[in-house]
Amino acid sequence: MERTKRLADILVNYSLTIKKDDIIIIQCDKASIPLAQECYRLILERGAFPRVKFSLPGQQYIYFNHAKNNHLTNMSKLDLEEMKKSAGIIMIKSSDNTKELTNIDPKKVALKRKANHPIHKIRWKKDNWVIVGYPSNGQAQDAGMSLEEFEDFVFGATNIDWNKGRKIETKVKKILDSGKQVRIVGKETDITFSIKGMKSIKSEGKRNVPDGEVYTCPIPKTVNGHIFYDYPAIYGGKEVTNVRLWFKNGKVVKATADNNQDYLKEMITMDKGASYLGELGIGTNPGIHKFIKSILFDEKIEYSIHLALGNSFPECGKGGNDSALHWDMIKDLKKGGAIYIDGKCIQKNGKWLI
């Protein structure tokens, strides 16, 4: 319980900016009730108004299995107004069944994601949100750990002093902010794109917990080359393995995978921006080396990069990509991989050269 209280304190008193009378949304489910309760208490102590949005066990499956077309193609006006009037949101990711949507038609997921895009855009623009992982039996099973082991893993990655920051993130940010051209090479990978004029962000516990990355946004139509993602790409509860993408003038012109290839293609045709890149993230968390099938942790793996298909982040500047999709796909660079900025190698074979 003490570790849960410490995590709630980080979310409420560090990650978010909360003022008196603010409306703060807490999204949670059954597995994350202990953390939601602690956040609720702390938000009240700040003089703000917590609003809990609780997901029932199996709710997503019930929804997508029974929703009619009008449910999928229309966003909730109430949710839209709620997002407009709220000052911030804590989204707790914890589930006892991470495979709930495995057999759901991907077209339904894509339609709903597209319909809700205006709500997500408001949240991104406000830039006062945090997504946090909380241990559950389902996630522990995916990670190949007992619940006790997984709790130690999670809290060891989340409950740290994010105020201190790390020198490597500062160095990487400085290089990206002044850089123009990125090249990433590795196994079956040689891809280039421009980041000229884009701002990079040090992730130090503000928007993701755990954190440990530096991210920016590629200029969409400058992406050329090909990439192989070593780790499974997981989105909407479906796992797509050995994803290979080919880009020409920014757009994915070919996409293959060893399984769920049709799902991959369905998602990247969700809308016009879904087949373009929206993010380059460089993992820097030295405490995360194991892939556990949870993007909140996996995208922070040290000496990895993630190139996300779909939406860009407004805080990185104008000229990014717009899409209802944001799918982080992770590549390991420890063996034969390298990152070049304007022709200078900054990381190679799991070692920083800066």
Side-chain angles (χ1 to χ4, degrees), residues 3 6-7 9-11 14-15 152-166 169 203-205 208-212 284-288:
R3 295 188 295 187
R6 170 60 181 144
L7 179 53
D9 179 68
I10 291 170
L11 301 174
Y14 171 75
S15 300
D152 291 340
F153 173 80
V154 169
F155 290 119
T158 60
N159 291 7
I160 63 178
D161 188 352
W162 295 105
N163 274 305
K164 289 184 177 180
R166 295 197 330 119
E169 281 93 0
S203 294
E204 298 170 316
N208 284 277
V209 179
D211 231 324
T284 60
N285 193 319
I288 303 178

Side-chain angles (χ1 to χ4, degrees), residues 28-57:
C28 63
D29 61 10
K30 181 181 177 181
S32 58
I33 285 175
L35 180 58
Q37 288 174 323
E38 291 302 320
C39 290
Y40 189 90
R41 177 179 60 82
L42 290 175
I43 291 168
L44 287 171
E45 289 180 358
R46 295 289 299 270
F49 291 87
R51 178 170 174 78
V52 177
K53 297 189 71 172
F54 185 79
S55 295
L56 298 168

